[in-house]
Amino acid sequence: MNFSEVFKLSGLLCKFSPDGKYLASCVQYRLVVRDVHTLQILHLYTCLDQIQHIEWSADSLFILCAMYKRGQVQLRITVWSLCTKSVSYIKYPKACQQGVSFTRDGRYMALAERRDCQDHVSVFVCSDWQLLRHFDTETQDLAGIEWAPNGCVLAVWDTCLEYKVLLYSLDGRLLSAYCAYEWSLGVKSVAWSPSSQFLAIGSYDGKVRILNHVTWKMITEFGHPATINNPKIVVYKEAEKTPRLAPGRLAFPPPRAAAGVASPAETKYEIASVPVSLQTLKPVADRANPKIGIGALAFSPDSYFLATRSDSVPNAVWIWDIQKLRLFVVLEQLSPVRSFQWDPQQPRLAICTGGGKVYLWSPAGCVSVQVPGEGDFQVLSLCWHLNGDSLALLSKDHFCLCFLETEDRVGTAFGRPGDHT
Amino acid sequence: MGEWMTVTDPDLSSDSKNICQYTSETKMSPSSLYSQQVLCSSIPLSKNVHSFFSAFCTEENIEQSVSYLDQELTTFGFPSLYEESKGKDTKRELNIVAVLNCMNELLVLQRKNLLAQENVETQNLKLGSDMDHLQNCYAKLKEQLETSRREMIGLQERDRQLQCKNRNLHQLLKNEKDEVQKLQNIIASRATQYNHDMKRKEREYNKLKERLHQLVMNKKDKKIAMEVLNYVGRADGKRGSWRTGKTEARNEDEMYKILLNDYEYRQKQILMENAELKKVLQQMKKEMISLLSPQKQKPRERADDSTGTVISDAEEDAGELSRESMWDLSCETVREQLTNSIRKQWRILKSHVEKLDNQVSKVHLEGFNDEDVISRQDHEQETEKLELEIQQCKEMIKTQQQLLQQQLATACDDDTTSLLRDCYLLEEKERLKEEWSLFREQKKNFEKERRSFTEAAIRLGLERKAFEEERASWLKQQFLNMTTFDHQNSENVKLFSAFSGSSDRDSLTMHSRPRQKKPQNMSNGSPVCTSKLTKSLPASPSTSDFCQTRSCASEHSSVNVLNITPEETKPNQVGRECANQKWSMASRPESQEGCYSGCSLTYTNSHVEKDDLP
């Protein structure tokens, strides 16, 4: 595993182009476009103000930089055509968790709307922004919408106050409505499997429910208990590799690293013997957005695995075997998991915890890798390159690329667990 | 007699000493005739027995007393003491023969009565002790009753408390349920209120938005609005199409096409899945048919109607199987047929497997029983064989010793041979040691077996003794019962019969049980073993004797062995000995163990004796 040098970055704005050739990153009001392989700067654009958002065009020919400070208030969606001078307006968009969703082929856009205290969904044809379907949804306060990867089914979920998931066909028919329980906080996260076969719904009761695409009924539910008793489940526990020096032997001006927040000690994974009890957070009940429930969900690109994070067990990532519909692996980190992302090419999960390490899991095992370089590089976010060869690691002020070896060498580099495979 | 019983009966329960005194007194009375009289008369008479006796007959009143006695006896049914009077006036002569007869009869009667009395007394004693026992029992039971009553009360109390608790818990549960209901209602009402408020707020918010929108649109110039500075041409150079009804229709078409494609794709997948499943089912069916076909005949023989029809169905299905194309139809009838036939076959298979399971379990049970029996027989055979082996080994050792001695006498002439022998000797010594250890172990086992057999024999003797005792006691009781029955008065009869009946029955069953057991025991190892042991050593009937003879034999062998220490044994001979052993083992492969242990016995014996020597 190799690491590039560290580049400056602001606002965690760093994105690979959709064709995988370029890497765009922002430093204050500058936009830097680099070649992915050489990392040489290809272009450097200077904007009038600090950049707050960037977005590649689908053909990787354009980049959008947003400076919200310079925007103006408009209560509608405006669609500008870059080729023709046409401008389209869409009224009544709903500001919510996920109010807009494009199908994967870019042909249709679904938009959540709110009119007369009633939620609606409009489906537009993206080629000419014609309204294809418009229907109201049986929701109290719609919170999000998402197309299935095949673009034929739209999942709509209600606000967290009510557990309600609605499934609409592209032509606006209600396919199914699902409600797991009542009178309690409901849906927290939703994810489609890449095969469009499953819809995983993470909720505030700490469970993931998986719906199938034939009957839209629940196939199974995955609980996230804090203790793991099943000996079939492998629990990887991150542990510090070297014991710390005795206090008497510390050098007098303490080294910079020791003074830092995160310890530079290298860590490794150990296979914990069951039963394992995971660290749990006691949620504060009287505050908004309690730290409970399933905060993050992601299917692996082959739909074989599902990675989840329960916010009440913040240090753990749960990886579920979707073929066998059971828990497969649990990774327990030393600090709370910030984010995780699947390799787009193979079942390989990259995890960051806001420390100086990046963690990789594959069915063969898992590794903890220290990001080299001076000082701390606190990995706050990460994103995979399209082909799964490299990984951009983003910290508050810097970013670097992590190049992964070819698969055969990775296999040997990964620590193989003794008791599974 | 009846009077006597009635008098003593109250005393029996209250004071048994009195009876003892009384009985001893009666036993000591000098004249049996007299005591007979006493028994017939009342108790106070017995107090002044002697004075009365002395006053009854004197020189003067012989006539009177004789006539009195005659009178008395005749009233008791005895023949008259006088000769038959030939005439009225002639004085009747005393008939000595009659007197003697009477006396003898009286004496016999007296003896009988005494015996009866004794029996009655023992019976009384027994009854007394029974009574005591019963009273004890009664007291104990009363106590038990009391304690159980107390316990019951305690339990009832606990039950009551628990019921109380239960009621409370029910109440609590009900309250909780009510609470939950109430809270749910509250939540629902709050939710509706919240929604209502939200709607109100949203309306206000919408109004504000509208206002803001108007203000923004009015105030701001159009110039400030975002504009695209440089348009990019389309890659294909086409222009954007107008929105017309046509495009709308086209969009619709496309949408439906997409949906249709999706559904088609899914249908294809489902079809594939179905085909796979059908294939699996078919295969399963085929395999089932092939699996069940060998058993077809058996169920038919049993003439079981249901299975018969099912099997004929299976045959039909098997015929249908050839028409493979039929399965490609996803017609409901075909599906039903397939599933039905599979279900039927499955049922057959299940019943078959169950049957097999039953058979297996049965066989297991039988097998265990058989094993038990065989093992016992084996033991007996083994002991017999062991005895034989011992004899043989002893003989073999004797011959070996003789040979060794001969060898010794002729040996020690050649150095090289001796060296060679030494080499062999060492090897042989090692081997011997090993064999010794093995023999010792086997001897131990043998001893253990022997001990168990002797124990069994002893047990049998004890059992027999116990049985004899039981029988004796039972006979005694039977006798007692028989003799005492008719003389009891009604009350006592009741009491006694209640006891005797039960005890009688008990003793009877006790009696019969050992009798049934006896032949079993005889067939069951231990007695047979002892008999065999004795057979093997005809002069000694008991096990101790057997041991003695055995020790004698071992002494014999040891004496023989004494002459040669193992160091002196010559390799050739030892080799031959081994060969001998081997031969004996080979000749009887089934009795290897016996041979070994037999050998080991003699060997270890000799060894022990040797060790004792300086």
Side-chain angles (χ1 to χ4, degrees):
Chain A
M1 201 179 280
N2 293 315
F3 287 87
S4 73
E5 58 176 305
V6 172
F7 305 105
K8 279 201 167 180
L9 183 78
S10 66
L12 298 178
L13 291 172
C14 176
K15 272 185 180 161
F16 288 104
S17 66
D19 63 0
K21 282 183 186 162
Y22 312 109
L23 178 67
S25 62
C26 295
V27 187
Q28 304 297 334
Y29 50 87
R30 282 191 298 272
L31 173 72
V32 185
V33 181
R34 294 167 197 274
D35 185 280
V36 163
H37 300 292
T38 62
L39 290 177
Q40 278 180 330
I41 296 175
L42 298 178
H43 276 290
L44 199 150
Y45 300 101
T46 309
C47 297
L48 295 170
D49 214 327
Q50 176 143 10
I51 301 166
Q52 282 169 293
H53 187 77
I54 58 170
E55 198 76 56
W56 282 95
S57 69
D59 56 4
S60 303
L61 294 176
F62 306 100
I63 308 174
L64 174 143
C65 295
M67 287 144 274
Y68 296 136
K69 282 180 194 167
R70 290 187 164 260
Q72 64 181 79
V73 176
Q74 277 186 329
L75 300 168
R76 64 186 183 203
I77 287 175
T78 313
V79 184
W80 286 276
S81 167
L82 300 184
C83 334
T84 62
K85 286 187 178 178
S86 66
V87 179
S88 311
Y89 299 104
I90 303 171
K91 274 176 95 179
Y92 312 113
K94 180 164 182 173
C96 59
Q97 186 189 341
Q98 195 173 336
V100 186
S101 177
F102 286 92
T103 57
R104 200 155 283 189
D105 58 5
R107 209 191 282 252
Y108 301 104
M109 182 191 88
L111 178 73
E113 295 176 1
R114 185 81 178 176
R115 292 183 207 182
D116 305 328
C117 304
Q118 173 67 47
D119 288 316
H120 298 264
V121 169
S122 293
V123 180
F124 294 94
V125 182
C126 295
S127 57
D128 55 4
W129 297 105
Q130 215 159 32
L131 182 68
L132 184 71
R133 280 291 182 275
H134 177 84
F135 49 89
D136 56 348
T137 59
E138 291 285 319
T139 47
Q140 284 293 332
D141 181 14
L142 188 150
I145 54 175
E146 181 150 337
W147 284 107
N150 65 6
C152 293
V153 183
L154 182 72
V156 175
W157 61 96
D158 209 340
T159 173
C160 66
L161 294 178
E162 206 163 335
Y163 196 116
K164 196 175 215 177
V165 176
L166 302 164
L167 293 148
Y168 289 96
S169 165
L170 178 61
D171 56 356
R173 282 179 300 126
L174 177 65
L175 294 173
S176 176
Y178 178 71
C179 170
Y181 53 84
E182 282 179 316
W183 307 123
S184 194
L185 288 180
V187 179
K188 193 164 191 182
S189 51
V190 171
W192 282 98
S193 78
S195 61
S196 304
Q197 209 175 348
F198 304 112
L199 179 68
I201 306 162
S203 51
Y204 278 91
D205 65 345
K207 281 179 180 160
V208 173
R209 290 175 176 81
I210 303 223
L211 307 188
N212 73 76
H213 75 310
V214 181
T215 61
W216 300 111
K217 297 256 167 62
M218 189 182 76
I219 300 175
T220 185
E221 59 177 33
F222 296 145
H224 291 66
T227 44
I228 287 148
N229 294 315
N230 190 345
K232 278 184 178 175
I233 295 162
V234 184
V235 181
Y236 292 104
K237 220 167 185 160
E238 191 192 3
E240 282 184 9
K241 215 180 214 170
T242 47
R244 290 174 181 245
L245 293 172
R249 290 188 60 195
L250 282 174
F252 171 53
R256 212 183 130 239
V261 181
S263 69
E266 286 195 14
T267 62
K268 60 174 179 186
Y269 279 110
E270 284 170 354
I271 291 167
S273 53
V274 287
V276 183
S277 48
L278 306 168
Q279 259 187 313
T280 51
L281 266 185
K282 203 141 198 214
V284 187
D286 55 352
R287 295 249 182 98
N289 301 317
K291 290 220 171 216
I292 52 167
I294 307 304
L297 280 175
F299 276 98
S300 70
D302 54 6
S303 302
Y304 283 178
F305 298 103
L306 171 70
T308 61
R309 189 195 66 209
S310 174
D311 291 346
S312 55
V313 191
N315 293 11
V317 176
W318 313 65
I319 296 167
W320 307 83
D321 188 333
I322 294 299
Q323 280 179 305
K324 291 173 184 161
L325 292 174
R326 64 176 186 85
L327 184 57
F328 187 46
V329 168
V330 177
L331 305 172
E332 193 182 22
Q333 311 295 133
L334 286 172
S335 36
V337 174
R338 276 275 179 149
S339 77
F340 51 76
Q341 200 176 5
W342 287 98
D343 182 337
Q345 297 300 323
Q346 50 176 308
R348 185 158 63 169
L349 188 71
I351 303 162
C352 64
T353 62
K357 288 160 211 92
V358 64
Y359 309 93
L360 289 169
W361 174 88
S362 79
C366 55
V367 280
S368 141
V369 184
Q370 178 79 34
V371 179
E374 267 182 48
D376 292 330
F377 187 96
Q378 295 180 11
V379 186
L380 298 179
S381 176
L382 41 78
C383 63
W384 282 93
H385 185 261
L386 186 69
N387 60 14
D389 285 347
S390 52
L391 184 64
L393 308 174
L394 318 180
S395 81
K396 202 181 151 215
D397 303 315
H398 298 92
F399 80 94
C400 73
L401 284 189
C402 168
F403 299 99
L404 299 159
E405 279 117 48
T406 45
E407 206 169 283
D408 50 348
R409 287 195 59 195
V410 168
T412 54
F414 278 29
R416 255 172 202 285
D419 59 338
H420 96 286
T421 63
Chain B
M1 190 102 191
E3 264 178 61
W4 182 79
M5 280 301 292
T6 44
V7 173
T8 49
D9 192 38
D11 290 70
L12 185 81
S13 56
S14 59
D15 195 3
S16 56
K17 260 187 195 170
N18 195 8
I19 305 162
C20 287
Q21 277 178 350
Y22 175 71
T23 46
S24 63
E25 222 175 308
T26 49
K27 264 179 195 168
M28 277 192 293
S29 61
S31 150
S32 57
L33 179 76
Y34 163 69
S35 60
Q36 167 70 31
Q37 260 184 340
V38 165
L39 279 170
C40 291
S41 63
S42 60
I43 293 164
L45 271 174
S46 66
K47 299 278 179 179
N48 44 9
V49 156
H50 290 274
S51 58
F52 174 71
F53 185 71
S54 57
F56 177 60
C57 185
T58 51
E59 294 280 329
E60 295 92 49
N61 62 351
I62 287 173
E63 283 294 313
Q64 281 98 328
S65 45
V66 165
S67 66
Y68 174 73
L69 279 178
D70 177 57
Q71 235 171 14
E72 285 289 308
L73 284 172
T74 44
T75 51
F76 277 112
F78 288 97
S80 175
L81 295 181
Y82 296 102
E83 279 174 32
E84 300 240 340
S85 56
K86 283 144 191 172
K88 265 189 181 177
D89 45 343
T90 50
K91 200 182 162 191
R92 287 191 302 179
E93 283 291 309
L94 192 69
N95 189 351
I96 303 292
V97 177
V99 169
L100 286 176
N101 276 338
C102 261
M103 266 169 76
N104 184 43
E105 225 164 303
L106 280 172
L107 274 174
V108 167
L109 216 96
Q110 161 71 357
R111 211 165 291 137
K112 235 190 234 171
N113 282 346
L114 267 181
L115 205 74
Q117 186 194 359
E118 223 167 279
N119 280 342
V120 168
E121 274 162 14
T122 51
Q123 199 64 50
N124 262 332
L125 275 176
K126 217 184 262 173
L127 283 174
S129 64
D130 275 358
M131 195 78 170
D132 278 355
H133 175 68
L134 278 178
Q135 267 171 346
N136 279 342
C137 278
Y138 174 71
K140 248 185 237 165
L141 284 173
K142 215 172 183 182
E143 235 169 77
Q144 256 180 25
L145 183 74
E146 200 57 40
T147 51
S148 48
R149 202 173 277 161
R150 248 177 274 137
E151 246 172 69
M152 201 177 75
I153 288 166
L155 285 174
Q156 271 174 346
E157 178 60 22
R158 241 182 77 192
D159 184 50
R160 198 186 57 79
Q161 280 175 359
L162 284 175
Q163 267 178 353
C164 231
K165 221 173 174 178
N166 192 18
R167 225 172 292 135
N168 285 347
L169 284 175
H170 265 294
Q171 192 57 43
L172 275 176
L173 183 73
K174 207 180 156 195
N175 288 351
E176 290 294 318
K177 267 185 186 164
D178 287 351
E179 189 74 20
V180 166
Q181 192 58 46
K182 220 162 71 184
L183 284 174
Q184 261 181 357
N185 287 342
I186 288 171
I187 287 177
S189 69
R190 287 231 178 123
T192 48
Q193 202 183 342
Y194 167 80
N195 285 337
H196 196 259
D197 283 0
M198 279 298 286
K199 264 181 194 163
R200 200 160 45 82
K201 289 242 165 80
E202 204 175 330
R203 276 195 194 110
E204 279 173 28
Y205 162 74
N206 279 342
K207 268 178 204 163
L208 283 173
K209 228 160 70 173
E210 206 94 333
R211 271 287 294 287
L212 181 72
H213 194 241
Q214 276 174 6
L215 286 172
V216 167
M217 292 316 278
N218 290 344
K219 274 193 181 172
K220 296 244 166 129
D221 300 6
K222 292 266 163 127
K223 278 174 193 172
I224 300 170
M226 282 197 276
E227 268 180 40
V228 177
L229 294 176
N230 305 304
Y231 287 97
V232 287
R234 283 176 72 123
D236 50 6
K238 271 189 199 164
R239 285 188 159 193
S241 54
W242 290 98
R243 272 194 219 172
T244 54
K246 232 185 192 174
T247 56
E248 212 167 292
R250 203 189 63 215
N251 283 338
E252 286 273 313
D253 282 356
E254 248 170 58
M255 182 192 75
Y256 282 122
K257 219 183 266 171
I258 287 172
L259 278 179
L260 213 71
N261 279 342
D262 182 53
Y263 281 122
E264 268 175 10
Y265 172 71
R266 270 163 67 172
Q267 201 209 352
K268 227 179 261 172
Q269 273 189 328
I270 286 168
L271 271 179
M272 260 159 64
E273 212 175 296
N274 268 342
E276 282 291 318
L277 288 176
K278 261 182 213 161
K279 219 186 274 175
V280 169
L281 271 181
Q282 255 182 69
Q283 203 185 339
M284 215 163 99
K285 197 180 145 182
K286 253 186 219 168
E287 277 170 17
M288 270 188 181
I289 287 169
S290 66
L291 196 76
L292 290 172
S293 53
Q295 274 104 39
K296 266 179 196 170
Q297 291 159 349
K298 278 184 194 170
R300 259 195 200 162
E301 280 168 18
R302 280 173 205 154
D304 197 331
D305 277 2
S306 61
T307 52
T309 52
V310 166
I311 276 154
S312 63
D313 275 3
E315 276 173 344
E316 276 170 33
D317 288 341
E320 278 169 16
L321 262 181
S322 57
R323 286 175 281 160
E324 291 267 326
S325 61
M326 196 174 167
W327 301 112
D328 290 337
L329 300 167
S330 61
C331 178
E332 250 177 58
T333 51
V334 175
R335 199 178 61 203
E336 241 168 62
Q337 222 172 331
L338 184 65
T339 48
N340 277 344
S341 72
I342 290 259
R343 240 174 245 152
K344 274 175 200 162
Q345 309 237 339
W346 176 245
R347 239 170 275 150
I348 298 170
L349 193 71
K350 206 174 138 191
S351 65
H352 182 65
V353 167
E354 274 168 2
K355 227 179 279 164
L356 282 179
D357 270 355
N358 283 341
Q359 279 175 6
V360 164
S361 61
K362 247 185 224 169
V363 164
H364 259 277
L365 279 172
E366 281 166 7
F368 281 132
N369 288 338
D370 284 348
E371 261 177 30
D372 242 24
V373 171
I374 284 164
S375 71
R376 208 159 273 178
Q377 285 173 348
D378 273 355
H379 273 302
E380 286 156 24
Q381 285 173 358
E382 211 70 53
T383 45
E384 231 175 327
K385 268 174 210 162
L386 284 175
E387 296 290 332
L388 272 171
E389 289 309 322
I390 288 167
Q391 290 299 326
Q392 282 182 350
C393 285
K394 272 178 198 164
E395 280 167 29
M396 203 198 291
I397 284 167
K398 253 182 221 171
T399 54
Q400 277 167 5
Q401 279 165 355
Q402 281 171 1
L403 282 168
L404 275 171
Q405 275 169 337
Q406 283 173 14
Q407 191 81 22
L408 254 179
T410 56
C412 303
D413 50 350
D414 206 339
D415 277 352
T416 51
T417 48
S418 73
L419 251 175
L420 263 172
R421 272 171 197 162
D422 277 353
C423 293
Y424 282 125
L425 196 70
L426 274 171
E427 233 179 62
E428 290 307 324
K429 235 166 73 182
E430 288 298 314
R431 213 179 296 165
L432 267 175
K433 262 182 200 164
E434 273 177 27
E435 275 171 359
W436 263 336
S437 61
L438 199 76
F439 290 157
R440 222 171 286 150
E441 212 173 286
Q442 271 160 356
K443 187 204 168 189
K444 232 181 268 166
N445 289 341
F446 182 74
E447 290 269 318
K448 220 182 279 170
E449 266 178 18
R450 205 180 58 182
R451 217 174 296 135
S452 68
F453 288 138
T454 50
E455 270 170 20
I458 288 163
R459 224 180 296 135
L460 184 81
L462 281 172
E463 267 174 21
R464 188 176 291 163
K465 210 170 146 191
F467 163 65
E468 288 286 336
E469 274 172 15
E470 255 173 34
R471 198 173 61 171
S473 67
W474 180 78
L475 279 171
K476 201 170 142 192
Q477 212 156 29
Q478 194 83 347
F479 183 69
L480 285 175
N481 291 346
M482 276 163 63
T483 48
T484 45
F485 251 86
D486 21 4
H487 304 289
Q488 311 273 327
N489 84 12
S490 62
E491 225 181 340
N492 283 313
V493 164
K494 248 187 216 166
L495 191 72
F496 182 75
S497 65
F499 279 116
S500 66
S502 63
S503 64
D504 202 44
R505 230 175 289 140
D506 274 4
S507 64
L508 263 173
T509 49
M510 295 258 265
H511 197 82
S512 63
R513 238 180 272 145
R515 216 178 262 166
Q516 281 170 352
K517 247 184 198 171
K518 214 173 166 185
Q520 270 182 0
N521 266 353
M522 288 308 276
S523 68
N524 277 357
S526 47
V528 177
C529 280
T530 48
S531 73
K532 264 181 191 158
L533 282 172
T534 52
K535 212 194 286 167
S536 67
L537 294 156
S540 52
S542 75
T543 46
S544 61
D545 280 9
F546 165 64
C547 285
Q548 268 184 354
T549 48
R550 178 177 288 271
S551 66
C552 279
S554 67
E555 263 170 30
H556 255 286
S557 67
S558 70
V559 165
N560 284 337
V561 177
L562 270 180
N563 303 333
I564 328 134
T565 48
E567 281 82 18
E568 289 165 343
T569 49
K570 292 290 169 288
N572 289 352
Q573 269 146 353
V574 174
R576 204 181 303 158
E577 175 197 70
C578 284
N580 270 343
Q581 267 180 24
K582 269 173 200 160
W583 169 82
S584 74
M585 278 184 256
S587 66
R588 285 189 207 195
E590 81 282 0
S591 68
Q592 260 189 8
E593 240 180 274
C595 169
Y596 264 116
S597 53
C599 289
S600 78
L601 188 72
T602 47
Y603 262 83
T604 44
N605 274 344
S606 64
H607 186 67
V608 166
E609 298 294 325
K610 251 181 276 156
D611 282 352
D612 288 343
L613 281 168

